[in-house]
Amino acid sequence: MPNGSAVNQNAIDHYHKIIDECIAKGIEPVVTMFHLDLPQYLQDLGGATNSIFVDYFAAYADVLFNAYGDKVMKH
């Protein structure tokens, strides 16, 4: 979600392929959500120090859950 709201469908599709390949090879995939790197749009708003970050992160979590939730374990 490079601009904070629009979903990058190419990225979603790319990670579907990776997850499917892991599953096919008997590897349990794990989706990680944060790697200390934010889209520039959110960084320009102050990053994680801006309270609006919580709303964007929740929306991002929903996208990942809806995209991959039927393929990966929920821990």
Side-chain angles (χ1 to χ4, degrees):
M1 300 170 65
N3 71 355
S5 61
V7 174
N8 181 338
Q9 190 59 47
N10 288 334
I12 296 289
D13 296 343
H14 172 77
Y15 286 107
H16 268 296
K17 290 176 188 174
I18 291 174
I19 289 169
D20 291 343
E21 188 66 24
C22 287
I23 292 168
K25 297 203 180 297
I27 300 168
E28 180 184 347
V30 176
V31 175
T32 58
M33 296 179 59
F34 188 64
H35 303 278
L36 301 175
D37 186 24
L38 294 175
Q40 190 61 49
Y41 171 81
L42 291 177
Q43 193 61 46
D44 291 344
L45 294 175
T49 62
N50 186 328
S51 61
I52 198 168
F53 175 79
V54 174
D55 296 329
Y56 283 109
F57 197 78
Y60 176 55
D62 285 341
V63 167
L64 296 181
F65 181 80
N66 290 324
Y68 311 119
D70 62 336
K71 295 182 179 184
V72 298
M73 286 286 287
K74 291 126 185 105
H75 294 281

